[in-house]
């Protein structure tokens, strides 16, 4: 039986605080890439799952929420993965004058 989502926090390249709700037996990490107008793209890992492996098999639904502490961005991703084949999810959003891309990496290996 899948376990409930966990909550975590992370800082981006600019020192902004982000809140992440994640599935402890599926998610490995969340990366944030940003492309500012007239500047190059930069990436940073917002959060890495402290668990080395999944305790139980993940469920059929993938649910992740990423929210900026200042309220400017708040996205929730939920999808059905009945065959459990989803490896990662990319979510693109626009915040003020920049494009943000969240890469949600899954497939946390099963703990032996």
């Amino acid at each position: 039986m899948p376990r409930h989502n966990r909550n975590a926090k992370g800082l981006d390249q600019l020192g902004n605080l982000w809140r992440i709700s994640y599935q402890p037996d599926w998610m490995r990490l969340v990366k944030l890439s940003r492309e500012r107008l007239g500047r190059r793209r930069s990436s940073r890992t917002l959060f890495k799952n402290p668990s080395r492996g999944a305790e139980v098999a993940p469920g059929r639904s993938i649910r992740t929420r990423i929210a900026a502490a200042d309220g400017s961005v708040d996205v929730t991703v939920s999808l059905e993965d009945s065959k459990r084949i989803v490896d990662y999810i990319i979510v693109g959003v626009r915040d003020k004058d920049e494009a943000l891309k969240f890469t949600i990496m899954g497939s946390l290996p099963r703990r032996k």
Side-chain angles (χ1 to χ4, degrees):
M1 179 175 190
R3 298 185 297 156
H4 294 288
N5 274 20
R6 303 289 187 262
N7 295 309
K9 297 176 185 177
L11 295 175
D12 67 11
Q13 304 91 319
L14 304 176
N16 300 317
L17 179 66
W18 293 85
R19 292 185 173 89
I20 299 128
S21 173
Y22 69 99
Q23 290 173 286
D25 297 306
W26 181 79
M27 185 192 294
R28 282 188 295 141
L29 61 88
V30 175
K31 282 192 173 193
L32 169 61
S33 296
R34 64 180 356 123
E35 187 173 317
R36 302 188 62 145
L37 293 175
R39 298 185 184 175
R40 64 182 176 87
R41 178 174 292 280
S42 68
S43 296
R44 177 162 181 154
T45 299
L46 280 182
F47 166 75
K48 186 173 181 181
N49 192 340
S51 179
R52 294 187 187 270
E55 291 182 17
V56 298
R60 293 176 183 235
S61 292
I62 297 170
R63 295 176 317 280
T64 303
R65 181 179 182 194
I66 303 169
D70 68 3
S72 61
V73 174
D74 189 347
V75 294
T76 301
V77 175
S78 178
L79 62 95
E80 292 294 318
D81 183 20
S82 60
K83 294 188 180 188
R84 296 178 175 105
I85 58 173
V86 173
D87 190 40
Y88 64 91
I89 302 164
I90 297 174
V91 178
V93 300
R94 184 151 307 277
D95 181 32
K96 301 172 189 146
D97 65 342
E98 61 186 343
L100 304 177
K101 180 173 79 172
F102 298 97
T103 304
I104 304 165
M105 302 294 294
S107 299
L108 191 66
R110 187 74 190 251
R111 194 178 282 179
K112 296 179 183 184

